[in-house]
Amino acid sequence: MNILILGSGGREHALAWKMAASPLTDRLYCAPGNAGIAQEAECAALELDDHKAVIAFAKDKKIDLVVVGPEVPLCKGIVDDLEDAGIKAFGPTKWAARLEGSKGFTKDLCKANKIPTAAYERFKGVSAAKDYVRKKGAPIVVKADGLAAGKGVVVAETVQEAEAAIDMMFSGGLGTPAWEIVIEDCLIGEEASFFALCDGETAIALASAQDHKRVGDGDKGPNTGGMGAYSPAPIMTADMNQRVMNEIIHPTVRALKRSGAPYKGVLFAGLMITKEGPQLIEYNVRFGDPECQVLMLRMMSDLVPALLAARDGQLKNFDLRWYPDAALTVVMAAKGYPGTYNKGSVIEGLDAAAQVEGVKIFHAGTRADGARILANGGRVLNVCARGKTVREAQNRAYAAVDLIRWPDGFCRRDIGWRAIERER
Ligand code: AMP
Ligand code: GLY
């Protein structure tokens, strides 16, 4: 089969690495890709917004399956357009991708189907939103509807903070003024991520993970796209996984099928594990980045037939195998991230780092300049490792990090701390 991956991050490098190893893969392409992906796939400089160009490329290269990494093209309907052009594509349609694209849509779906999630209201104007916040009190969570690259959520500790967030979102503080916001109760518990593969009717569990969203050690400082992750999440016992499937994932897949927008693709549930059980914080309609990287290290089965089965509606009798090992990834980012940072600094020592036992390095924002690897983004490298325990995976990942010579980069030194504390 000829496969085209869309995207350019560490997630897409991990997918490319896993699919390149499949005996089913003949030619592997990635658009636009990065310097690491170029070692696994032929990279093509396509503009993902230009669906016609993507379709033309797929036809020209006789692509049998397109795998879409990020949420933006999914929410813009790239799967619909590819399928309409007769090209198989893995991922949800535009209509089903509202699970990530619209918080109001997802909250209403949860309410209608008794899927556990924080109590909420939707608002289109400032004054009603502020009245609600004053009535409910703090802490309270304010969310802008629509994709906001992880910046659309404010967990307000005080009513004043919540009011400021409402003003900020409606006045365009996130770029464009929010047309709607969701205000919901603050959930207390431990967060975990859960991934399932869906074919429109059947969902099968993939694995769980936990990520570190804050930029600094001790989970301090501003939010980022994710500074590290590990899998499995120790809080996600077999029993908890089953509850998430029964109480959250299956009802969602059934509801979307009934609504005429069946969900195919990866369903990524952001969860709060509370005293009463799992609650849905949010859905994403794709693999997480960097969670995908650790999932791919743990997946024993071939990914290609799994994605095909999801696309073809054939997951019913499908089974995936996983290594029992833990996997962990440390994100190396350019100094200044998630604020402003420079591009173009040279990264050395990658070959030696990749030799550390159990280690695999995925590239996120990199570009090749001859034989040199240059930083080309905020999150630049994912230094991943497998181990018998999270502790062992962490030791291996940091041993590799310490062999990478990149003065313009930084990383957190405590990825996995929560899991490691539990292991003790
Ligand atoms: P989201 O973009 O929806 O994942 O939200 C970003 C982060 O905000 C989540 O990972 C949680 O840490 C936090 N968060 C969102 N909603 C809630 C909630 N209802 N209760 C507590 N924390 C929340
Ligand atoms: N790491 C969180 C995400 O991919 O949304």
Side-chain angles (χ1 to χ4, degrees), residues 61-80:
K61 302 293 183 191
K62 302 197 164 45
I63 298 296
D64 300 295
L65 180 69
V66 178
V67 177
V68 187
E71 65 277 17
V72 171
L74 292 168
C75 289
K76 288 187 174 167
I78 194 147
V79 167
D80 311 56

Side-chain angles (χ1 to χ4, degrees), residues 103-304:
K103 295 189 170 25
F105 169 79
T106 300
K107 296 297 288 190
D108 287 356
L109 181 130
C110 287
K111 192 193 259 176
N113 294 281
K114 301 197 169 53
I115 294 165
T117 189
Y120 72 103
E121 290 286 343
R122 302 169 69 165
F123 297 96
K124 287 203 161 52
V126 170
S127 66
K130 288 189 177 173
D131 287 346
Y132 182 75
V133 160
R134 286 188 209 112
K135 190 180 85 195
K136 295 286 284 193
I140 194 152
V141 183
V142 183
K143 303 185 173 186
D145 201 76
L147 295 181
K151 297 181 188 76
V153 175
V154 174
V155 180
E157 299 298 335
T158 63
V159 169
Q160 289 79 353
E161 232 182 281
E163 290 184 326
I166 293 166
D167 284 328
M168 179 275 284
M169 288 176 188
F170 277 123
S171 65
L174 295 169
T176 46
W179 74 285
E180 178 175 301
I181 64 172
V182 169
I183 302 183
E184 64 181 38
D185 290 359
C186 192
L187 297 167
I188 310 291
E190 184 172 333
E191 280 185 63
S193 302
F194 185 86
F195 297 84
L197 193 60
C198 310
D199 72 357
E201 187 160 348
T202 300
I204 62 174
L206 291 172
S208 64
Q210 276 174 316
D211 72 343
H212 293 269
K213 289 196 173 64
R214 304 300 187 108
V215 74
D217 283 13
D219 295 317
K220 303 238 160 56
N223 258 321
T224 70
M227 294 301 291
Y230 49 91
S231 174
I235 196 168
M236 296 304 291
T237 57
D239 179 55
M240 190 58 74
N241 285 340
Q242 198 54 55
R243 281 193 69 179
V244 171
M245 288 302 287
N246 293 343
E247 295 170 28
I248 297 178
I249 304 290
H250 290 315
T252 300
V253 171
R254 280 197 298 269
L256 281 173
K257 178 164 186 265
R258 269 201 313 274
S259 80
Y263 189 89
K264 292 184 180 188
V266 172
L267 193 51
F268 165 0
L271 304 170
M272 188 72 85
I273 309 303
T274 69
K275 279 209 255 5
E276 288 74 41
Q279 300 261 340
L280 181 73
I281 296 177
E282 63 158 3
Y283 271 133
N284 297 305
V285 295
R286 52 180 172 79
F287 280 111
D289 187 348
E291 291 89 339
C292 181
Q293 291 82 314
V294 287
L295 257 53
M296 290 306 112
L297 279 189
R298 291 191 56 227
M299 187 183 280
M300 190 189 288
S301 302
D302 190 342
L303 178 64
V304 173

Side-chain angles (χ1 to χ4, degrees), residues 40 48 58 70 90 111 124 194 203 221 278 283 292 313 315 384 418:
E40 310 285 356
L48 299 191
F90 173 80
K111 192 193 259 176
K124 287 203 161 52
F194 185 86
Y283 271 133
C292 181
L315 280 181
C384 310
R418 201 187 299 272

